[in-house]
Amino acid sequence: CSGECGGSATIDDCGVCGGDGSSCLASLSLGAFDASGSLEILYDFGSDVAGFQFDVSGLTLDGASGGAAEAAGFTVSTGPSMVLGISLTGGAVPAGSGVLTTLSFSAVTADSTDLSGVILTAPDGTEPFGITASGSIAHTQDCAGTYYGDAVADCAGERNGSAVEDCAGECGGSAEDLGCGCGEA
């Protein structure tokens, strides 16, 4: 394939003459998460990528900005859980790794966030990539069932209540530590 008479170079699975197959490897993963509304999407591409699509579960997405996608002139659109990035001018995210884009979200909607359904397109319009997607974020709820909320239950189970255990361990009890032990003077 290299034009050398009698040569042994062959085209690899990625369509590269003399290649080792690494140029069509690509991965996306979840990066830094901020419960107040942002999530980085990280990438590692063996060759240029001209378009991408993926799903992010557990969040209500409302935008994307920054990263290599913005630097390459991509338009990145989000639906409630889907992300689509393309260049309207023929640009591409070059081979390499880093932050692809930073997603903004308005709500956490499930106990975890996962990345799935990844589709990557090469500059020639094909999808020759061996893709991996990784990462999962577990979300915590307060006693009111609000993700990342600050409601707490008192010892009686009342949300944001004021009942406390006395020195004898009784919730709402009146035993006092008078200096000689609980309830003793």
Side-chain angles (χ1 to χ4, degrees):
C1 67
S2 65
E4 182 180 323
C5 184
S8 62
T10 59
I11 296 175
D12 70 5
D13 291 339
C14 303
V16 176
C17 179
D20 62 3
S22 64
S23 67
C24 60
L25 298 178
S27 68
L28 289 182
S29 60
L30 301 177
F33 173 80
D34 181 342
S36 66
S38 68
L39 171 62
E40 288 180 340
I41 302 298
L42 307 178
Y43 75 99
D44 188 0
F45 296 158
S47 62
D48 295 354
V49 171
F52 57 84
Q53 178 179 328
F54 56 87
D55 295 311
V56 176
S57 66
L59 303 173
T60 301
L61 302 178
D62 52 28
S65 62
E70 186 173 288
F74 275 45
T75 298
V76 181
S77 301
T78 60
S81 63
M82 189 266 308
V83 179
L84 174 67
I86 59 170
S87 172
L88 301 175
T89 60
V93 174
S97 61
V99 175
L100 179 63
T101 192
T102 300
L103 303 176
S104 59
F105 61 90
S106 56
V108 175
T109 60
D111 291 340
S112 68
T113 291
D114 298 290
L115 184 65
S116 64
V118 178
I119 299 171
L120 302 174
T121 306
D124 66 2
T126 63
E127 297 175 15
F129 300 98
I131 302 169
T132 58
S134 62
S136 184
I137 299 167
H139 302 295
T140 57
Q141 295 182 35
D142 66 10
C143 69
T146 302
Y147 290 105
Y148 300 99
D150 58 4
V152 295
D154 66 10
C155 64
E158 296 295 321
R159 183 175 44 192
N160 292 328
S162 60
V164 295
E165 287 185 6
D166 65 10
C167 64
E170 183 179 329
C171 183
S174 60
E176 296 179 43
D177 185 350
L178 302 174
C180 298
C182 186
E184 298 178 19

